[in-house]
Amino acid sequence: MNKFEGVCIKIGSTEIIQLPIAPCILPELNTLQTVIMNDRYYWPIRFDRDSNWHQLEKILEKCGCVDIKKRAGCLSLLEDPNRLKSLLAKSLTSEQFSTWRIKPKSLLSFSSDTFVEIFVDKFLLGHEDVPVCDQEQELTELLMTQFYNCLIQDRLEALPIFISLVLIIRRINFKPCTQDIWQFKIIDATLKKSQISQTDSLLSREILQSLELKLMSCIETWGNDCFNLMKQFLFSSSINFLQDGNLSTVTLTKLAILVVFYDLPINVLNFVDLRGQLNYLGMLVELKRLKLDTNSIHCISKILLNSI
């Protein structure tokens, strides 16, 4: 059984009783104010009489046990009796930008979980006899970065979310879908309006913003193909022009994605004063008057200036 430090605080006393080895015998519950299980290799657990004391009572009544979670890079004494692997894992987290210098096999020192071993073997470890293209190398480095961050922060549950977003970006040019774009629209709205702290978010704000920029760079390449349709959409009061039989399903889907992604309102340019010589600053003032989003203004201005 692993060692951990138990801490008890008696009622009416400031004295802290240290119980360094598990298992240990607790004093009577009615004499305790707080019970804390604390160890540098595990996440701490605390029971307070004023908050969650009833949970401890129910656990003891049913002769149950309290599950404790190991911290990232902390293996059990059976797996790492000399704590050398744990020291290596700790050194890998000491520098923020050391991700690119980590060998995939070193990530195994963070956890003995089967999932970690399989993921490193199947996705991060390269094969010397198999050539790797640039896109595959870029994807491997991207997965390496996020997998490393998930490991050191004990947030492996965020990895499937990250992979799903990466797959959306990779297939957007081959199989465009408006539903995929809405996933990023929800993320964008969350980043703009929510006050979620970094500790409460599974994926960091920087990671989400970088993925959003990657998606935007892919979508902007469609501008030349959909320029005339987008201009008609902004000047038309109906979408009857989209019923043209010569328009392919892929083209219509791309147009829908551009409209959704940039929040382009139909017939919006008929409410903008475009008389006289068209200049960039005057156009920005007119579009801002309609309280449009910055990305929407940027897209509309590029359409009007015919520079997409």
Side-chain angles (χ1 to χ4, degrees):
M1 182 173 292
N2 295 319
K3 294 183 179 181
F4 72 91
E5 296 178 356
V7 177
C8 299
I9 302 177
K10 287 186 176 182
I11 293 179
S13 173
T14 58
E15 181 184 1
I16 297 178
I17 302 175
Q18 196 81 16
L19 304 173
I21 300 177
C24 57
I25 300 176
L26 287 175
E28 293 295 329
L29 288 184
N30 57 7
T31 65
L32 300 178
Q33 181 71 30
T34 303
V35 175
I36 305 172
M37 287 167 281
N38 187 29
D39 187 276
R40 59 178 177 171
Y41 297 112
Y42 295 86
W43 289 100
I45 299 178
R46 182 186 181 109
F47 295 98
D48 288 301
R49 184 171 291 275
D50 298 332
S51 57
N52 59 345
W53 195 256
H54 64 283
Q55 295 178 356
L56 177 60
E57 292 177 336
K58 288 184 178 180
I59 291 173
L60 295 178
E61 286 175 2
K62 297 180 180 180
C63 298
C65 62
V66 179
D67 293 327
I68 53 178
K69 182 180 179 181
K70 288 186 294 186
R71 293 181 182 271
C74 298
L75 303 178
S76 66
L77 290 174
L78 294 177
E79 298 166 322
D80 186 19
N82 297 322
R83 293 299 183 189
L84 296 179
K85 293 182 179 179
S86 298
L87 288 174
L88 172 62
K90 186 177 180 180
S91 67
L92 294 177
T93 63
S94 61
E95 188 177 347
Q96 183 179 2
F97 300 102
S98 61
T99 313
W100 306 106
R101 296 192 295 272
I102 293 178
K103 295 181 180 180
K105 288 186 178 180
S106 299
L107 295 176
L108 297 176
S109 62
F110 283 93
S111 174
S112 58
D113 192 345
T114 305
F115 170 77
V116 175
E117 296 178 358
I118 294 176
F119 190 89
V120 171
D121 180 60
K122 299 297 183 182
F123 296 101
L124 301 182
L125 285 176
H127 301 280
E128 296 180 356
D129 55 340
V130 178
V132 179
C133 63
D134 294 339
Q135 290 185 347
E136 186 174 350
Q137 181 65 29
E138 180 184 0
L139 179 60
T140 301
E141 292 176 354
L142 198 61
L143 290 176
M144 179 75 166
T145 304
Q146 187 57 36
F147 189 69
Y148 168 79
N149 290 332
C150 289
L151 270 180
I152 65 175
Q153 298 175 15
D154 279 329
R155 294 179 179 177
L156 283 178
E157 60 272 18
L159 190 62
I161 302 175
F162 176 81
I163 294 177
S164 298
L165 296 177
V166 171
L167 290 177
I168 289 176
I169 297 174
R170 289 180 64 85
R171 69 168 176 255
I172 194 69
N173 286 322
F174 307 101
K175 192 178 180 181
C177 177
T178 54
Q179 185 177 359
D180 290 340
I181 297 301
W182 275 113
Q183 304 300 321
F184 277 90
K185 292 294 291 182
I186 294 173
I187 292 173
D188 183 63
T190 303
L191 292 176
K192 288 181 179 179
K193 298 182 179 180
S194 178
Q195 300 297 325
I196 298 177
S197 63
Q198 184 68 25
T199 56
D200 296 331
S201 178
L202 287 177
L203 293 175
S204 67
R205 179 178 293 269
E206 291 76 14
I207 289 292
L208 293 175
Q209 288 176 338
S210 66
L211 293 176
E212 190 175 9
L213 289 175
K214 285 180 179 291
L215 178 67
M216 185 180 297
S217 64
C218 294
I219 292 178
E220 285 185 346
T221 60
W222 301 346
N224 292 327
D225 298 333
C226 302
F227 171 74
N228 291 328
L229 289 176
M230 293 175 68
K231 195 169 184 178
Q232 282 184 271
F233 180 84
L234 296 174
F235 277 105
S236 300
S237 57
S238 68
I239 58 174
N240 293 332
F241 68 94
L242 297 177
Q243 298 177 0
D244 187 355
N246 295 326
L247 297 176
S248 65
T249 303
V250 174
T251 301
L252 292 175
T253 303
K254 288 183 177 181
L255 176 63
I257 289 176
L258 288 167
V259 170
V260 170
F261 187 78
Y262 288 107
D263 290 322
L264 300 178
I266 191 171
N267 198 30
V268 65
L269 291 183
N270 285 326
F271 298 94
V272 179
D273 185 8
L274 300 176
R275 293 174 297 179
Q277 185 178 3
L278 188 63
N279 63 83
Y280 187 72
L281 292 179
M283 183 173 51
L284 291 181
V285 172
E286 286 294 321
L287 294 175
K288 197 64 178 178
R289 183 174 56 83
L290 299 177
K291 298 181 179 180
L292 297 177
D293 184 78
T294 304
N295 288 334
S296 304
I297 294 176
H298 174 67
C299 180
I300 294 174
S301 63
K302 291 176 69 175
I303 294 174
L304 291 177
L305 296 175
N306 197 12
S307 60
I308 292 184

